[in-house]
């Protein structure tokens, strides 16, 4: 019964949460006005579209990186540090996008001020790389929509081994030991939700780490 409920949770996260996020970044990447000056009517129209699509996908952050990895346009909450002008070329979603690849569900903000699942899609025009579209689904959304209904301890673990979301607050941002066989199974599936099942991981063990500290 527990495994059946886990599979239902997995499907909900995948189809309603992550697939919606992926669809959104792909659509915005296709519609990004790469040549429009910031502040122009075209850019404002695009930002309005971004805001509407983010609301539907429950994303709380969306931004466009230019060819150098600089944040050119963004929609974000006022309480966060403004990303405009920030150089994020060191982030995986930029390096993957530069190589022409999407980065869906793998890059996450576990060690930033907000926990969240990031999805990104490269922007190409006439075969040329023009930037990367990025969006974030807050971990709190995953917890409130899907994990809170479980009485059993539950965690969403990233391919990197970080507990991104959990109905146990003390587990959040714990990191599994890299040699853990359960983590290898997660890495093999790569994407969140593809193979959610009990892993037999005890997150209270000394082999877990909190923000890189034992």
């Amino acid at each position: 019964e527990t495994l059946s409920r886990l599979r239902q949770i997995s499907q909900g996260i995948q189809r309603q949460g992550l697939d919606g996020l992926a669809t959104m970044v792909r659509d915005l990447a296709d519609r990004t006005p790469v040549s429009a000056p910031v502040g122009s009517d075209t850019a404002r129209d695009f930002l309005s579209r971004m805001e509407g699509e983010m609301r539907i996908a429950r994303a709380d952050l969306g931004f466009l990186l230019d060819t150098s990895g600089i944040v050119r346009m963004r929609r974000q909450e006022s309480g966060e540090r403004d990303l405009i002008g920030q150089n994020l070329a060191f982030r995986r979603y930029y390096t993957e996008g530069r190589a022409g690849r999407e980065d869906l569900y793998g890059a996450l903000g576990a060690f930033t001020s907000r926990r969240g699942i990031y999805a990104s899609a490269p922007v190409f025009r006439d075969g040329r790389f023009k930037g990367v579209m990025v969006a974030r689904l807050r971990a709190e959304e995953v917890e409130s929509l899907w994990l809170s209904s479980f009485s059993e301890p539950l965690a969403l673990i990233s391919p990197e081994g970080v507990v991104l979301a959990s109905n146990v607050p003390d587990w959040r941002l714990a990191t599994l030991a890299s040699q853990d066989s359960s983590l290898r199974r997660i890495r093999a599936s790569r994407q969140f939700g593809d193979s959610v099942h009990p892993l037999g991981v005890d997150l209270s063990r000394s082999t877990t780490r909190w923000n890189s500290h034992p």
Side-chain angles (χ1 to χ4, degrees):
E1 182 182 354
T2 298
L3 183 55
S4 175
R5 290 178 65 202
L6 276 172
R7 285 176 177 150
Q8 291 175 1
I9 292 291
S10 168
Q11 292 170 358
I13 295 172
Q14 188 74 29
R15 294 175 185 171
Q16 298 175 39
L18 303 181
D19 286 354
L21 191 70
T23 298
M24 184 189 75
V25 295
R26 287 167 178 156
D27 179 71
L28 292 175
D30 288 342
R31 297 172 183 272
T32 299
V34 292
S35 59
V38 176
S40 66
D41 289 343
T42 301
R44 284 195 292 268
D45 288 345
F46 174 74
L47 286 172
S48 295
R49 183 184 187 90
M50 184 194 301
E51 186 172 8
E53 294 202 22
M54 285 172 57
R55 191 178 301 113
I56 294 171
R58 297 190 178 92
D60 71 320
L61 174 65
F63 55 91
L64 173 68
L65 303 178
D66 65 14
T67 55
S68 300
I70 306 297
V71 179
R72 184 164 173 262
M73 289 190 280
R74 87 297 187 230
R75 273 288 180 257
Q76 64 184 117
E77 296 179 354
S78 58
E80 285 193 278
R81 183 180 66 169
D82 193 351
L83 289 178
I84 284 291
Q86 294 291 317
N87 188 336
L88 300 179
F90 63 96
R91 295 288 189 185
R92 195 177 75 195
Y93 39 69
Y94 173 78
T95 57
E96 289 292 290
R98 183 92 193 176
R101 295 187 292 266
E102 296 177 336
D103 189 19
L104 304 178
Y105 328 140
L108 54 127
F111 302 109
T112 65
S113 60
R114 299 284 179 94
R115 292 176 298 128
I117 302 170
Y118 287 75
S120 64
V123 177
F124 279 85
R125 296 291 184 272
D126 300 321
R128 294 192 173 196
F129 174 70
K130 294 294 184 178
V132 182
M133 188 67 220
V134 187
R136 180 180 69 193
L137 176 68
R138 290 187 304 163
E140 289 85 351
E141 290 286 344
V142 175
E143 288 160 353
S144 64
L145 289 173
W146 293 289
L147 305 189
S148 61
S149 62
F150 265 76
S151 58
E152 302 93 331
L154 194 65
L156 179 64
I157 302 171
S158 79
E160 294 79 10
V162 176
V163 178
L164 180 65
S166 176
N167 56 3
V168 181
D170 288 347
W171 284 7
R172 296 167 189 167
L173 300 187
T175 305
L176 300 183
S178 59
Q179 69 272 20
D180 195 302
S181 61
S182 300
L183 180 54
R184 289 197 293 272
R185 290 162 61 187
I186 299 168
R187 286 199 181 114
S189 70
R190 191 62 201 133
Q191 292 183 351
F192 294 118
D194 283 354
S195 59
V196 170
H197 52 272
L199 293 175
V201 174
D202 180 3
L203 292 172
S204 64
R205 295 181 306 172
S206 59
T207 52
T208 62
R209 303 172 73 85
W210 174 268
N211 280 5
S212 300
H213 298 289

